[in-house]
Amino acid sequence: MNRRFLSLFVVLASCGGGSESATLAPISPRTAAVNETLVVELTVENGSDALSFDFVAPELPGLRATVSGSGGGGVFRWTPLASHVGTQEFTIQLLRGTTVVDEQPLLITVTPADDAAPVFIRPGAGGSFDLGRDPCVRFDIEIRDDDSTEVTIAARGPLPEGADLFQDNPKSGGFEWCPSADQIAAQERWTIPMLADDRDHPPTEQDYIVVLRTEAKPGCPGDPPVIAFQSPDNEARVTSATGYEVRVSVTDDQGLRDAPLLFYTTSEPDDPANPDVTTFEQLVFAPSSGDWAVRIPSLGLEDGEEQRVFIVVSATDNDDASGATCDNRTDSPLREFVAVRGTGGSGLSDCEPCSESTQCESGLCATAAGGARCVPSCSGSGMCAVGSCGATGTTEGAVLAGCGPVAEVCGGGGDCLDDGREDDDDTASATPYASAITDGQICSGDPDYVRVDVAAGTRVVATLDGFVHAEGDLDLRLEDADGIVDNSASEEDREEVEHCFSDAGASFVQVLGYEGAQNGYRLNVAATPDPVMCCADDASEENDTASAATALTFASGTADFEGTVCPADDDYFRVPVDGPSTIDVLLFIEDFESADLDLELRDPEDRVVGSSRDIGEEESISLRVSDPGNYAIRVFGVGSDTSAYLGSVEVTPDASCTSSRDCPIGEVCNAGACEARVCSGSTCPADHICPDAGIDPTPSECGETCTINASCRSAEACKWFWEGRYCGRRGSGTNGDACTTFADCGGQRACAPWPGGYCARQGCESSSDCESGTHCIDSGLGFNLCALACEESADVCRLSEGYRCAVEATIDRGDRSVCVGDM
């Protein structure tokens, strides 16, 4: 068994006599519970000279134990984690100098916590998703519960139309959603309400904030927000034991609707001038004394340990009252500071956002749907000024006596009496509209739906009023069977939506409170036949998706197309490409003075590779592509705009190349011509290398020199091989996953030849080169790699495949627990 020695020397004043006969009394076996501190008294017989204590510990992830004392006796302290459950053997040693005078075994049986609530390990507070790179939102869900073998994971309220939250294992699941064009235009931020229930405690609730990032549209009214940093200063050193506050001020000519976002990471971005914030951790700012403030958690640092932190602040205004299409977004330049774990920083007051209980003055950071908060602790009834004393789940999973519920103690909750039309929370349970609603009531997280059946050629206008915006922001949406067709999200005391339905069917009016707002309302809906003005679809329908795109007829590399865009009705046209080519698209808009149509070009993977979002008579795209396949032209209206249009597309094949980016993904550029990229040894063109593929003995693939992902093709990443940074195929494997070649590994990871392969960045010089949750260690293979951290649980390691969670020396962070194979 590999052993780790942790020493603490205590020098004693000599009282005369020798120490050869000093002995350590036998220690009886002990039992300890997860998350509770075990204290073991150590007895020394005949101790008199300068003596000290030490111990030999089993290999356990995240082990933090101490021993102290003198020749008169000592104390051993240990707080086990959930991953330490079982019987563990320590050896307590009595030392004189560096000589072991005596030693005794200490057997400790670790039992699961007697009272542990579920904790969301993944996802965190939220994430941003670049829909131009991937049109779908996906994230994993993982729960820790120390006293339950199975936890129910479920949605706590309505999900966005088309979204799926699922459970695939006793404590894990996932979320998938491909937002429609109307959902993207409706709003930038979406709340995904989740819960984890072990049936022994109140369910743990969590809201995950999804931010949809799209290309900015030119020509929109208003000025973008202006961000000014208050603290920390760029490259400052910040010492704290309660997390690291970031404070900014934000000004905008028309104001913000949403709080700004903070993106942070401990890995230096590939492209500091244009960092990819979708790979960062995300937090939401809160108002604070006229500014905005948020606190980055303590990062798991030891006392005195330091870590570089890179941050970006993003603010989006509310210049587009109908949705998010013409809202302006500002991302600050990348800044960095050095976080130092120390004694600085005051404890957080009650109801301040927190991430761990040690941050709170009360010592209790309680989980809550809208984010964890510090709440008062209590030891019995009658101890709470607000709320009542009861079992409260903490961010660590402990269940302690605290004042709750959090929504009542900290506001944003309280009693709300629904109106008499409940339950009408989705389209399936919508209330049929008969006459004006004068007594509507929206409670937190509880939308109201009204159904309006329409004939072909019917214009529907819905008006929402009877509320005061400042007392609770209500919004209004109009939907058909496929999703949102119009949206009203102003900061006024009145909202209105309008849409012309060309086909007969059901329409739905949705009233909702923004970010949990509550308010009463009035709703009036008018449905008027208007067959002349209502939009009629063109003959190419149904071509509303890339998979159903209309095939174009090309002659000498050119093709024409035409159609009509109706509300919530995109048109797609297929463009086949055989190899490296330039695609030129030109669109003429008939009703350009009153309607705004936009243009996109999507690759064979349905990713946006080119777009035109001007305001006027024409939209155009000219783009060179390298990968063969079916590309798609997308013509769509902004909001509910409609117009007829004419278009043309020309595909011009390229006969030569200047770099590998000009070639298909399976080829590289050599002396102006594209050739197969398969390689062995030194068979690659200049500025390329044939890197180690991984554990697969098949040939490798030539990779071009790079420094950032943008230097590579869309299906590649700038990977970290032990030989250097080169473009390589991008897979899906995460840190520590199995692989046969680097093409199995996602992001910038290559495939290290540990048993079964190991996805990781290679060639790191410090942990700053590594992604969050990994540490730079010597792989034993002649190069360093970024090994997956396992401080929280050994379960993240591939234990059944011979991997283990071991304490290893990192290049710059001391000893850390990481997942390793045979070295």
Side-chain angles (χ1 to χ4, degrees), residues 353-507:
C354 55
S355 59
E356 52 197 10
S357 293
T358 55
Q359 297 176 342
C360 302
E361 290 180 350
S362 65
L364 201 163
C365 181
T367 58
R373 301 276 176 167
C374 295
V375 299
S377 61
C378 56
S379 58
S381 60
M383 298 292 292
C384 300
V386 180
S388 58
C389 186
T392 301
T394 71
T395 52
E396 297 78 25
V399 178
L400 305 175
C403 297
V406 174
E408 183 175 342
V409 173
C410 299
D415 295 332
C416 179
L417 183 61
D418 276 327
D419 56 51
R421 283 168 294 279
E422 295 294 332
D423 288 320
D424 55 353
D425 302 338
D426 53 34
T427 55
S429 59
T431 299
Y433 184 80
S435 59
I437 295 173
T438 59
D439 60 347
Q441 176 65 50
I442 292 296
C443 293
S444 179
D446 177 42
D448 289 351
Y449 279 81
V450 172
R451 176 184 175 122
V452 182
D453 293 318
V454 297
T458 299
R459 184 180 302 278
V460 174
V461 179
T463 304
L464 179 72
D465 58 18
F467 69 97
V468 177
H469 166 83
E471 297 175 358
D473 183 12
L474 298 189
D475 291 339
L476 189 63
R477 291 177 183 166
L478 186 57
E479 305 179 14
D480 63 11
D482 296 323
I484 302 168
V485 295
D486 195 17
N487 184 73
S488 182
S490 73
E491 295 182 333
E492 306 298 327
D493 297 340
R494 183 179 185 275
E495 307 284 356
E496 185 173 280
V497 290
E498 179 178 354
H499 180 69
C500 192
F501 292 87
S502 56
D503 299 323
S507 67

Side-chain angles (χ1 to χ4, degrees), residues 120-145:
F120 280 87
I121 297 176
R122 291 185 295 173
S128 289
F129 298 85
D130 185 348
L131 299 183
R133 182 187 308 163
D134 187 337
C136 297
V137 174
R138 298 182 179 91
F139 58 81
D140 295 328
I141 303 171
E142 184 178 355
I143 305 299
R144 191 193 80 216
D145 192 311

Side-chain angles (χ1 to χ4, degrees), residues 627-628 663-668 675-678 701 713 716 729:
D627 296 333
C663 299
I665 191 64
E667 300 178 357
V668 291
E675 62 180 30
R677 69 186 299 180
V678 65
E701 294 182 342
R713 286 168 280 192
E716 297 176 319
R729 291 182 193 256

